[in-house]
């Protein structure tokens, strides 16, 4: 039993409040998953610049001088903005893979939370209110975002085991449910060259969608395929650079509710996650149908 939230903004005037709205939504879902929590936010794009959000258990020493070390290693400027145990590296887009390799060579204990042009992921063990406060999520702006509070069933309670999972550039996933064929699918995806770093079944779902989209599928196509290729019970909420998608398995035993207005599309595991959103009283509210893909793009 985990809690999922998602918010896709249509109205640009709401963008400065994205972090605050997502935080409120996720905190409401605390009792659905007290083990760990995380949020992914999509912000502004800078031409020629990409982001790597990284994490360390010892940020006070590990992040000191890291930007200079990476700049020297890749021969291009790297900036670092620390937020508690996480930091956002900004690097030239052409140097993303070189930066990732330099990080691994410098300190394999540094974990990469997300990679992309506009995505930032913050996640840690702990309650949603504490995780959100550590990273000042409520002060962040953006166009869309998703969040998750976890009750672990398939793997250990760790930072890397928390959601969201980022397995492709600017793509991430949160999941409520359990997949039964994740071990065999993990082996297949690794053979295909998709990066998977944990034993969490939800990361396999994220990696599956990455693999499908790398082979030409749209997000909608990939979500449709997941209904055939993934075994188990699941509700997925997925973010991409310009999109937001939702799908439930054919049995749809995991709770879900959606709301749409002229200003936003919102998702919550329960309606109480949505009650403080502006205009919710006049929103179109519905339960997503089983085996039906919903997605929106900017």
């Amino acid at each position: 039993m985990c809690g999922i939230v998602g918010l896709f903004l249509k109205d640009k005037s709401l963008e400065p409040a994205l972090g605050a709205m997502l935080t409120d939504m996720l905190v409401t879902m605390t009792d659905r998953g007290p083990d760990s929590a995380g949020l992914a936010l999509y912000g502004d794009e800078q031409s020629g610049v990409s982001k790597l959000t990284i994490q360390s258990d010892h940020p006070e020493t590990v992040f000191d001088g890291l930007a200079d070390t990476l700049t020297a290693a890749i021969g291009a400027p790297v900036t670092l903005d620390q937020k508690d145990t996480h930091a956002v590296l900004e690097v030239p887009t052409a140097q993303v893979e070189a930066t990732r390799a330099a990080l691994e060579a410098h300190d394999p204990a540094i974990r990469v939370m997300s990679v992309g042009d506009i995505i930032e992921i913050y996640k840690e063990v702990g309650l949603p209110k504490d995780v959100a406060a550590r990273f000042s999520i409520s002060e962040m702006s953006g166009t869309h975002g998703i969040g998750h509070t976890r009750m672990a069933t398939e793997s250990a309670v760790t930072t890397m085991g928390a959601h969201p999972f980022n397995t492709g550039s600017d793509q991430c996933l949160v999941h409520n449910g359990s997949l039964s064929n994740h071990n065999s699918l993990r082996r297949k995806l690794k053979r295909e060259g998709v990066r998977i770093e944990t034993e969490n079944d939800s990361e396999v779902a994220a990696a599956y969608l990455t693999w499908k989209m790398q082979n030409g599928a749209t997000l909608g196509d990939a979500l449709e395929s997941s209904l055939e290729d993934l075994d188990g019970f699941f509700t997925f909420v997925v973010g991409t650079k310009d999109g937001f998608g939702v799908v439930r398995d054919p049995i749809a035993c995991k709770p879900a509710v959606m709301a749409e207005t002229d200003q936003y599309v919102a998702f919550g595991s329960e309606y109480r996650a949505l009650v403080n959103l502006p205009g919710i009283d006049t929103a179109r509210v519905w339960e997503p149908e089983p085996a039906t893909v919903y997605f929106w793009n900017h």
Side-chain angles (χ1 to χ4, degrees):
M1 185 175 75
C2 299
I4 300 175
V5 299
L7 189 58
F8 179 88
L9 300 180
K10 303 177 186 180
D11 183 348
K12 290 186 70 67
S13 71
L14 289 178
E15 291 180 6
L18 176 71
M21 289 191 289
L22 274 174
T23 297
D24 180 75
M25 293 169 72
L26 192 61
V27 169
T28 304
M29 293 288 94
T30 297
D31 60 352
R32 295 192 61 85
D35 298 333
S36 56
L39 295 112
L41 294 95
Y42 291 83
D44 293 330
E45 184 171 8
Q46 299 181 58
S47 178
V49 176
S50 294
K51 300 178 180 182
L52 291 85
T53 310
I54 59 174
Q55 186 270 357
S56 172
D57 292 336
H58 306 284
E60 65 282 351
T61 55
V62 169
F63 293 157
D64 184 30
L66 182 59
D68 292 338
T69 299
L70 295 174
T71 295
I74 70 171
V78 177
T79 65
L80 183 150
D81 180 18
Q82 183 176 344
K83 293 180 173 66
D84 198 81
T85 58
H86 289 42
V88 178
L89 302 175
E90 292 191 346
V91 306
T93 299
Q95 300 293 326
V96 166
E97 290 306 315
T99 304
R100 192 158 192 164
L103 277 170
E104 293 176 356
H106 172 69
D107 186 348
I110 296 175
R111 306 174 180 101
V112 177
M113 300 289 100
S114 63
V115 177
D117 295 337
I118 61 173
I119 190 174
E120 297 178 16
I121 289 180
Y122 301 91
K123 57 184 184 179
E124 279 291 2
V125 173
L127 297 174
K129 67 179 180 63
D130 297 328
V131 173
R134 290 176 71 172
F135 303 114
S136 301
I137 299 296
S138 62
E139 299 174 14
M140 297 182 188
S141 62
T143 57
H144 55 300
I146 62 178
H148 186 274
T149 184
R150 184 179 182 220
M151 181 175 288
T153 58
E154 293 290 337
S155 58
V157 178
T158 64
T159 300
M160 286 298 285
H163 303 213
F165 287 101
N166 165 251
T167 52
S169 181
D170 283 312
Q171 179 233 317
C172 68
L173 171 144
V174 292
H175 169 211
N176 181 21
S178 179
L179 302 181
S180 57
N181 64 334
H182 63 96
N183 286 322
S184 59
L185 191 54
R186 181 184 290 105
R187 291 191 292 269
K188 174 182 178 178
L189 292 170
K190 283 187 173 182
R191 289 195 298 269
E192 295 290 335
V194 181
R195 185 188 293 264
I196 301 175
E197 301 188 58
T198 75
E199 295 303 309
N200 193 302
D201 60 329
S202 304
E203 187 182 17
V204 173
Y208 169 84
L209 297 177
T210 295
W211 174 62
K212 295 296 288 187
M213 288 188 281
Q214 285 176 348
N215 285 278
T218 64
L219 172 59
D221 293 336
L223 290 172
E224 289 280 2
S225 297
S226 73
L227 293 167
E228 298 293 330
D229 294 339
L230 301 181
D231 296 333
F233 303 112
F234 55 85
T235 295
F236 297 141
V237 178
V238 182
T240 64
K241 188 173 183 178
D242 65 350
F244 171 88
V246 173
V247 70
R248 304 170 80 195
D249 68 81
I251 297 176
C253 65
K254 297 299 180 180
V257 62
M258 301 196 71
E260 184 170 13
T261 73
D262 291 340
Q263 293 184 296
Y264 59 80
V265 179
F267 176 95
S269 291
E270 300 177 35
Y271 178 74
R272 58 194 170 105
L274 313 180
V275 294
N276 292 327
L277 292 173
I280 191 65
D281 291 343
T282 56
R284 181 173 76 93
V285 178
W286 77 100
E287 180 181 350
E289 294 291 333
T292 301
V293 172
Y294 301 84
F295 64 99
W296 293 261
N297 289 87
H298 284 122

